[in-house]
Amino acid sequence: MLPDTIPSIILALSLFVARVSASVTIYTTTSSAASAAPQPTLCIGAVPCDGNVLQPMPNPTGPNLSQIVPVQLYPGGMNSMGIPVSGSFFGFSLELSVANRLFGNDGNKLVPIFLNLMATITNRAGKVLLRVGGNSQESAAVVPGGLPNDTAILKVQTGADKTFTPTLLVSPSLVYAMGNISSLLPIDWFIGLPFNDTTNPRLELAEIAQSVLGKNLIGMQLGNEPDLYAGNGIRPNTYQPADYTTDFGTVLHDYQSDPSVPNTNIFVAPSVCCGSSGNGWTPETVFNTGFLSQFSTNLAYISVEHYPTNNCNDSGILDPAALMASTFLNHGMVSQLSQQYWNTSQIAVTMGKPFIMFETNTASCGGFSGLSDSFASAMWSVDYALNMAYVNFSNALWHVGGESDYYNPFTPPATNQSHFRQWTIGPTFYSGLVVAEALGNSGQARVVDLFLNNNNNFSPGYAIYENGNPQRVVLINYLTDPSGASNYTAYISVGGNATNTPGGTPSSVLVKYLLSPSATEKFNITWAGQTFGGAFESDGRLTGTEQTYTYTCDQTNNVCAVPMPAPAVAIVFLSSSAQSESGPSATQTFSTSGLSAGHAANTATVAQAVLATSNGRGGGNWVGLGSTSPGSSSGAFSERLRSSSLVIPVVVVALTSAATIFRASSWYS
Ligand SMILES: *[C@@H]1O[C@H](CO)[C@@H](O)[C@H](O)[C@H]1NC(C)=O
Ligand SMILES: *[C@@H]1O[C@H](CO)[C@@H](O)[C@H](O)[C@H]1NC(C)=O
Ligand SMILES: *[C@@H]1O[C@H](CO)[C@@H](O)[C@H](O)[C@H]1NC(C)=O
Ligand SMILES: *[C@@H]1O[C@H](CO)[C@@H](O)[C@H](O)[C@H]1NC(C)=O
Ligand SMILES: *[C@@H]1O[C@H](CO)[C@@H](O)[C@H](O)[C@H]1NC(C)=O
Ligand SMILES: *[C@@H]1O[C@H](CO)[C@@H](O)[C@H](O)[C@H]1NC(C)=O
Ligand SMILES: *[C@@H]1O[C@H](CO)[C@@H](O)[C@H](O)[C@H]1NC(C)=O
Ligand SMILES: *[C@@H]1O[C@H](CO)[C@@H](O)[C@H](O)[C@H]1NC(C)=O
Ligand SMILES: *[C@@H]1O[C@H](CO)[C@@H](O)[C@H](O)[C@H]1NC(C)=O
Ligand SMILES: *[C@@H]1O[C@H](CO)[C@@H](O)[C@H](O)[C@H]1NC(C)=O
Ligand SMILES: *[C@@H]1O[C@H](CO)[C@@H](O)[C@H](O)[C@H]1NC(C)=O
C-alpha cells in the first residue's frame, strides 16, 4: 500500500515547495528598543524575526509591592513537599512531523546543534527525556524501505480520508537517529503511536522503536488528547471515555499479540488535555470507566497534556498583552493550573506510577507572538514546572513544533538557510536549564511552594529539599521596573528565628540569575551570565563566562540577604555541594561541521569560521516542507477549527508592511 503513494507525494511536495517559493519576502529586522540584542541583518520571513515586542504590564503599587521578602526554611523538611523528582523533570516533546528537522534524518546525519543543546541539559540534569509525537502521530505510517532522498518524514495528502488528515510517512531511519543520539548522550525516549484506526493499528513504529532503542525507550503513548477526537474528526461525535477505554484495550491486544513488541508494559495514557473545553473529559472520567484497573500493569506512566490558553481563535481573538498579565506573570494562576490535577496526582502516587505532563507550553495553536517568545514565558515556565513538581507530577515536557510556532524552546531555520544559519533558542529553553540546576541530579529533590510574600502573585518562591535538607531556593520576580523600585531582597533563614529549631543558616550562599531587561524581551536573556544569543545565532552552546554570585550571610542573626532585580529568576544554592551537584561540568560539544555516529562526538571547540559555513543541520537532503507543523495546532483546538481545516499547506500572513511570516496551517486555516 505505501509505496504506491510515493508518486502522489512527490506531486504534492513539488506543489508545496512552489507555493513557499513564490511568496518568500526578505527583510531586515527593524531594531526595537526592548530587543536590542544583536540580530541577524537577514531574517527571511521567519517568526523569530517578527520584531513584535509587547508592552510590559504596569507595576502594582501599595501592598503588592514589598521590597522585603522573608524566606523561612525548616530543617528536616516542610509540610506537603512534593514527592522526590529527578533533574530531568523538565523535558521536551518534539512534534513527530518535524522531528527529523530537529535531530536529523538518520543515525549518520545527526544535527550537531540539537546535540549541543541537549548536552547543556544532560550536563546539569544527568539525563533528558524526549517525546516524539503529538497530533501528527495519529496518522503516522512507517515505510519499512525508507523514503525518497533519505528523508525520515514525509507528509502527504492522499485525499483518501474525509477529514483531510494528511498521512505522515515515517522512515525507520528516524528511529535509528534516536538510537544514535542515545548512544552519544543520556537521553531516554517516549514515542507516540498511531491510534486513528483501531482496525488498522499499524504496529511497525513500536516494533522498530523497541528493537532499536531498547531500554532507552521508556514509554509508548496510545491516544493523544482523546478528549478532542470527536471534535477533530478522528472518532464519531458520540465518542466518550468508555469508548477510549475500549479502543485502548483493542489496540493493546494487538500489541500484546505481536512478538516483535516484547514490552507491552510501557504505555503512557490517558493524555486527556482539556477538561471543560475538551468535551468535559478529565483523567478521572477515563479512570471511572475501569481504565486503571484494566490496564494497571501495562501503564508505565499516567499522563495528561495541557496548555493554559490557546491562540486558536475559536472563542475570539485573545490579546497576548492582557494574557501576559492575567495568566502568565501570575503565580496564583500557575497554582490553579496545577490544582486541577491534585486528585489525579494523588491517584498516580497511590498506584506508584509516575504522573507526567506529556505536552505543555504557553498556548496551543502555535502560541502568541510577543508572549510565548518572551522572557515572561521563561519565568512562567520555571514557576509552572516547579509547581507541577510540588503537586507530584514526576516530569513535564515542553512542546516543540514547527518553525512558525512562537512557543518553541528551539527552532531551526528554514530548510534552505540551514547551511548558513544557526538556530533560534527560545526563552523557555533557559527554563529547562534553570529547572535542571534547581533540582540537581540526586533524584531526591522535593519541591515545596513557599507561598512567599503572603502568597503574592508577583514574587513566587520554592525550596528544594534533598534527604530532609534544604539545598536550593528558587526566587522569581515577575515585575519589570528599570527604576529599581520593584527590586526586592529575600531574607533567607534556615531554622532559628521563630521555628523552635536551631539556626542553620550557612555562612554564605551562591546565586545564579536568569536575567533580562524586561518581561517582554525576546533575546537578551542570560543564565548565570551566559546566553544563546539572538535569532538564528546559536550553535547550541552557551556563550559568555559563567557568573555566580556569592553573598555572605549574617550567621549571628541567622539570615542571608539575596537581592532580586525586576525581572529575574534566581537559584540560591545553600551550600557549595548543592551547587556542584547540578553545576555544569565540562559540556560535551558536537562539531557542526558534520557528525557521523561513532566519530567526532567530542570535538571540544569549533572555530566560528567553520560554524558559519558549516552544514550545521546534518545533511543537505532535507525535504523542504517549509512550515508544516501540526504542533502549532496541538492542544486545545476546537471542533470548529478542525472541521474547517482544509488542506492549505502554507498561509502567508503579512504582519507588518515590512515582513512576511509563514504560518503553519495545514491543520487549520
Ligand atoms: C529528491 O531530490 C531531487 C534532487 O534534489 C529532487 O529533484 C526531488 O524532487 C526530490 N524528491 C523528493 C520526493 O523530495
Ligand atoms: C530560500 O528559498 C526561497 C524560496 O525558494 C528563496 O526565495 C530564498 O532566496 C532562498 N534563500 C536562500 C538563502 O537560499
Ligand atoms: C530571622 O531573624 C533575623 C534577625 O531578626 C531577621 O533579619 C530575618 O529577616 C529573619 N528571617 C526571616 C525569614 O524572617
Ligand atoms: C545508528 O545509525 C545507523 C545508521 O542509521 C544504524 O545502522 C545504527 O543501527 C544506529 N545505531 C543505533 C544504536 O541506533
Ligand atoms: C489513519 O491513518 C492512516 C495513515 O495516515 C490512513 O491511511 C487511514 O485512512 C486513517 N484511518 C482513519 C480511520 O482515519
Ligand atoms: C478522585 O478520583 C477518583 C477516581 O476517579 C474519584 O472517585 C474521586 O471522586 C475523585 N476525588 C475528587 C476529590 O475529585
Ligand atoms: C488567531 O488570530 C491571530 C491574530 O489574527 C493569528 O495571528 C493566529 O494565526 C490565529 N490562529 C489561528 C490558529 O488561526
Ligand atoms: C504529594 O505527595 C506527598 C507525599 O505523598 C504528599 O505529602 C503531598 O500532599 C502530595 N501533594 C499533593 C498536592 O497531593
Ligand atoms: C494585592 O494585594 C491585595 C491586598 O493585599 C491582595 O488581595 C491581592 O491578591 C494582591 N494581588 C496580587 C496580584 O498579588
Ligand atoms: C535593582 O537591581 C538592578 C539589577 O541588579 C540593579 O542594577 C539596581 O541597582 C537595583 N536597584 C535598586 C534600587 O536596588
Ligand atoms: C541586555 O540586558 C542587560 C540587562 O539585563 C543590559 O545591561 C544590556 O545592556 C542589554 N544588552 C543589550 C545588547 O541590549
Side-chain angles (χ1 to χ4, degrees), residues 121-154:
I121 307 260
T122 57
N123 196 28
R124 291 168 166 79
K127 185 189 274 191
V128 178
L129 305 190
L130 296 178
R131 170 238 195 168
V132 175
N135 286 325
S136 55
Q137 78 194 40
E138 301 293 4
S139 62
V142 171
V143 182
L147 292 166
N149 290 353
D150 296 330
T151 191
I153 286 177
L154 203 48

Side-chain angles (χ1 to χ4, degrees), residues 337-409:
L337 275 179
S338 318
Q339 216 161 3
Q340 61 187 296
Y341 295 115
W342 277 12
N343 192 49
T344 322
S345 76
Q346 200 52 58
I347 291 168
V349 168
T350 305
M351 288 180 77
K353 306 272 186 201
F355 180 43
I356 184 166
M357 174 56 71
F358 213 52
E359 182 180 321
T360 191
N361 211 310
T362 41
S364 60
C365 287
F368 292 92
S369 172
L371 167 61
S372 301
D373 51 359
S374 71
F375 188 59
S377 71
M379 294 190 285
W380 172 81
S381 294
V382 172
D383 194 359
Y384 187 32
L386 293 176
N387 214 270
M388 283 191 275
Y390 165 58
V391 305
N392 294 336
F393 279 84
S394 54
N395 303 92
L397 310 180
W398 258 249
H399 197 59
V400 188
E403 66 206 30
S404 66
D405 291 342
Y406 291 99
Y407 55 54
N408 289 340

Side-chain angles (χ1 to χ4, degrees), residues 52-58 318-329 368-371 520:
N52 180 28
V53 176
L54 302 176
Q55 285 301 309
M57 64 177 180
L318 299 171
D319 172 15
L323 280 173
M324 186 179 287
S326 67
T327 304
F328 291 93
L329 302 176
F368 292 92
S369 172
L371 167 61
T520 61

